[in-house]
Amino acid sequence: YETRQTSDFSKGLDDWSVFGSKGVGVQSDGVASVLEIRKADQDWPAGAAWNFPVGATGALKVDLKLASGFAGALIGLTDHFSVPWDLEDGFYNVFDLPIGADGQLLPGVKLSTARWYHLALSWDTTRRSCQIRLDGKLVGTIADQRRSEGINYLRLRSLADHPDGGLLLRNVSADVSASWSPAAGSRSAAQQ
């Protein structure tokens, strides 16, 4: 019955799946605990998956920083579990948001290294779209890759071919309460 979930990494990675990966772990950035995802070994993948309550509409928010030497990552929202290092995730995620090695997030939107950004992804599976906000400003909308009844997984995976600086995450949250409000009407009843 929960509709919200948060992760601040203060208790480690208990609610994250990182098995089979190298270069994924919790560290301190001097202020808070953060999740680091970086390609640490050329022969090993680096990825993490986080499960949260399912919702046809919802929002995922995260503070994100690209480290110096960042060489690319994939952010995926999806409706099923697969291993964190799944190389096919880009085909099966509902929404894919790659970040290029140069920091390119969307056309005309480029992230700098060594700076924290507040990234918000707001999806609606009925409309088959996901709005992308960066530091509170709408910077684009992406379409789904396939139909889904609801989103309940965040997937993050390094796209680097060789060891890189990676990225850092802190204060991850998901809210799908709009999917289950009385205003959601028959959709709520059908999904229960």
Side-chain angles (χ1 to χ4, degrees):
Y1 294 109
E2 293 186 20
T3 60
R4 292 179 176 89
Q5 186 168 320
T6 62
S7 181
D8 66 4
F9 309 108
S10 61
K11 295 179 178 150
L13 294 173
D14 285 348
D15 55 345
W16 287 77
S17 177
V18 298
F19 66 91
S21 294
K22 280 192 179 180
V24 179
V26 174
Q27 65 177 1
S28 174
D29 72 348
V31 177
S33 295
V34 296
L35 173 63
E36 177 184 51
I37 300 175
R38 67 181 179 83
K39 183 81 166 178
D41 184 312
Q42 184 171 334
D43 297 327
W44 282 82
W50 185 57
N51 179 233
F52 53 86
V54 68
T57 59
L60 183 124
K61 298 176 182 177
V62 61
D63 293 329
L64 171 121
K65 179 167 84 169
L66 307 184
S68 178
F70 172 79
L74 178 64
I75 300 172
L77 293 175
T78 196
D79 55 6
H80 67 281
F81 176 79
S82 64
V83 292
W85 41 268
D86 183 358
L87 298 179
E88 303 290 316
D89 61 351
F91 298 109
Y92 298 107
N93 289 334
V94 178
F95 296 103
D96 274 336
L97 184 62
I99 305 173
D102 62 354
Q104 187 82 32
L105 183 68
L106 294 166
V109 179
K110 201 172 198 179
L111 306 180
S112 301
T113 58
R115 175 187 182 271
W116 283 103
Y117 291 94
H118 183 69
L119 178 66
L121 309 174
S122 301
W123 68 88
D124 184 328
T125 59
T126 302
R127 293 186 179 172
R128 303 186 69 183
S129 66
C130 181
Q131 292 185 335
I132 314 301
R133 293 190 188 309
L134 197 59
D135 295 335
K137 179 183 173 189
L138 180 64
V139 294
T141 301
I142 56 175
D144 66 358
Q145 299 192 133
R146 62 179 176 80
R147 289 198 175 275
S148 176
E149 293 296 317
I151 302 298
N152 64 331
Y153 278 94
L154 167 64
R155 298 183 49 76
L156 301 154
R157 185 171 53 83
S158 172
L159 296 177
D161 292 327
H162 303 285
D164 78 331
L167 56 85
L168 301 174
L169 303 174
R170 67 179 181 198
N171 302 323
V172 182
S173 67
D175 183 345
V176 297
S177 56
S179 295
W180 306 105
S181 69
S186 61
R187 165 186 252 156
S188 294
Q191 289 182 338
Q192 290 178 355

